[in-house]
Amino acid sequence: MELQVVQQNLFGAEAFDHPRRISAFIAFLHHTRPHVVTLQELLPWSVRALLGSPSLRKLYPHVRSDLLADSPWTYVLTSLPRLRRDRIEGMNGGLDLSLINVSGRALAVGSVHLSPADCPSSETQPLKRHAPCPGGVKRADELKEALHYLSTWAKADHRLLLGDFNFGDSPHLFPAEQTVLAEQRAKYVDAWLVANHSMPGYTWDNRYASHTIGHIPARRASPQPRQLVGARAGGTG
């Protein structure tokens, strides 16, 4: 089967028109019905919105019991049979792991939110092109830890790590993070770059950051290009 995966940071700040944003995202899930959805920055108001949607509760049968039992910062939704779920604390908000049955094959999926990059993004604070963004070593350690847990957590045919990685593809701005990705190339491919090598993945003003801020380490997967929703800098997609 062709697996449809959606990755979304729900953005925890309530001051930025969160009702309209979360409502649009719920409508998007209802329309597209992806098999797997990885989320970050879950807060009580976004949890209430997700649980308040009958269509989402029906599509993702585990969501009610999971989100009522705890309040995860990161989470994996799935409409497919779930074999196992665990949470690993640390890594700036925890790693949420789900083992999913995809047509008889086990897929391990992790959702993670790495530490903020804290890179200036406005025209009044242009980023120094050859100065690494702050926090790179910490993010690199978190990424390494997340990949370690994903690789050893459960027996799986395929593995995917998705989330808000908070770094881009520039070796000058993100040397520590890119080193970790390079070290993992024997086991993982960056599915985002393979499938969307010419497509931007904005999560902040890219003129002062990097060309791509989409990284999806995938093990034994065959990614295919798809349309990016909300590719405009400063967009909410």
Side-chain angles (χ1 to χ4, degrees), residues 12 31-32 44-45 54 61-62 64 72 79 87-88 98 107 136 159 169 176 178-179 185 193 218 225 229 237:
H31 176 70
T32 58
W45 61 265
H62 301 287
R64 180 175 175 82
S79 61
R87 283 196 58 77
I88 309 296
S98 282
L107 170 68
R159 303 176 193 271
D169 60 353
Q178 287 298 326
T179 297
R185 282 178 187 149
L193 296 181
V229 178

Side-chain angles (χ1 to χ4, degrees), residues 122-235:
S122 70
E123 293 185 10
T124 59
Q125 293 179 291
L127 190 65
K128 294 180 180 179
R129 286 291 177 177
H130 298 291
C133 288
V137 173
K138 185 177 182 181
R139 280 189 301 278
D141 288 342
E142 292 167 350
L143 176 60
K144 191 180 300 183
E145 186 177 4
L147 287 170
H148 168 74
Y149 280 120
L150 180 66
S151 299
T152 59
W153 167 65
K155 185 177 180 180
D157 299 290
H158 305 278
R159 303 176 193 271
L160 281 173
L161 180 66
L162 300 98
D164 187 338
F165 281 23
N166 272 317
F167 69 88
D169 60 353
S170 167
H172 301 296
L173 301 180
F174 308 102
E177 302 95 313
Q178 287 298 326
T179 297
V180 173
L181 287 181
E183 291 171 349
Q184 294 290 331
R185 282 178 187 149
K187 294 181 179 179
Y188 290 91
V189 298
D190 192 332
W192 176 264
L193 296 181
V194 170
N196 306 285
H197 57 87
S198 62
M199 186 182 292
Y202 297 120
T203 57
W204 73 75
D205 190 339
N206 247 28
R207 291 170 299 172
Y208 294 89
S210 182
H211 294 298
T212 304
I213 310 175
H215 300 282
I216 307 176
R219 190 168 181 176
R220 298 187 64 188
S222 300
Q224 299 295 320
R226 288 294 179 267
Q227 179 183 1
L228 180 68
V229 178
R232 178 177 54 83

